[in-house]
Amino acid sequence: TCSPVDIIRDIIFFLQGVGFRDRRIKELLVRWPQILTIEMPQLLAVTDFLSSNVGFSTPALREKYPQFYQNTAPLSALYRQAPWLLAASVGSQLRPVTNFLRHDAGVQRLDIVISAFPRCFLLDPDRELRPRLYALKKYGVTEPGKIIETFPLVLGLDVSEQ
């Protein structure tokens, strides 16, 4: 087992690797200390998924593959805004929402949508996102992906019939 000092050191190295500066690391640890309880494989799985499937980047990716990652949103900004994403399940939260947005809604720039509205990862694709997509189509939106990219908060609107 790792000592608490080793765990903290590994978390700090991880955060530096995704682009956090020291001051921001301190802020994150104070604001969301739960990060110290997340296992490294979980942190790496979420980071890998968001960089390879959603379009976020780390400094190393931008440096090594500038042709692919130069104009992408940095993971550090997303994690500062929504650190709870680091504890999210790739299989039951991140992947289903990503698949829905890309394949059903037609969103091409997922990084834009997730940056503006990371809480969409808390929504169930069938029970919560699909009714919003139907509402957009009901009002004549032919390309919902473009609307969602332009106004990501539309995913948070209440579309229940009252």
Side-chain angles (χ1 to χ4, degrees):
T1 63
C2 293
S3 73
V5 171
D6 291 336
I7 292 170
I8 293 170
R9 185 198 64 228
D10 290 347
I11 297 288
I12 289 171
F13 284 152
F14 166 79
L15 293 171
Q16 288 171 334
V18 296
F20 274 82
R21 300 205 189 294
D22 289 345
R23 188 177 116 248
R24 296 289 187 189
I25 292 172
K26 290 176 196 171
E27 289 173 5
L28 179 65
L29 292 173
V30 169
R31 203 174 109 230
W32 204 68
Q34 296 94 318
I35 192 171
L36 297 173
T37 66
I38 301 173
E39 301 275 335
M40 189 57 64
Q42 167 67 21
L43 298 173
L44 295 173
V46 169
T47 298
D48 179 59
F49 181 81
L50 292 172
S51 61
S52 62
N53 294 291
V54 180
F56 286 91
S57 63
T58 64
L61 287 172
R62 284 192 299 279
E63 183 178 321
K64 188 168 184 176
Y65 305 105
Q67 68 274 26
F68 299 115
Y69 291 100
Q70 199 58 45
N71 296 318
T72 58
L75 269 171
S76 59
L78 178 65
Y79 291 160
R80 271 195 318 272
Q81 179 185 2
W84 51 266
L85 278 173
L86 289 162
S89 167
V90 171
S92 64
Q93 279 180 287
L94 305 182
R95 184 170 282 115
V97 170
T98 299
N99 288 341
F100 176 85
L101 291 173
R102 181 176 284 130
H103 301 295
D104 296 356
V107 172
Q108 293 178 12
R109 290 292 311 271
L110 288 168
D111 59 323
I112 292 172
V113 175
I114 303 305
S115 292
F117 190 59
R119 285 188 12 241
C120 73
F121 278 131
L122 299 176
L123 302 174
D124 180 84
D126 291 322
R127 289 183 295 118
E128 297 170 294
L129 291 174
R130 194 166 307 284
R132 288 166 174 89
L133 180 61
Y134 289 150
L136 288 172
K137 290 180 178 180
K138 178 180 164 185
Y139 290 108
V141 174
T142 57
E143 295 185 55
K146 291 191 186 304
I147 296 295
I148 293 168
E149 287 174 18
T150 306
F151 305 106
L153 294 179
V154 74
L155 294 174
L157 294 177
D158 181 10
V159 294
S160 62
E161 304 280 331
Q162 302 204 358

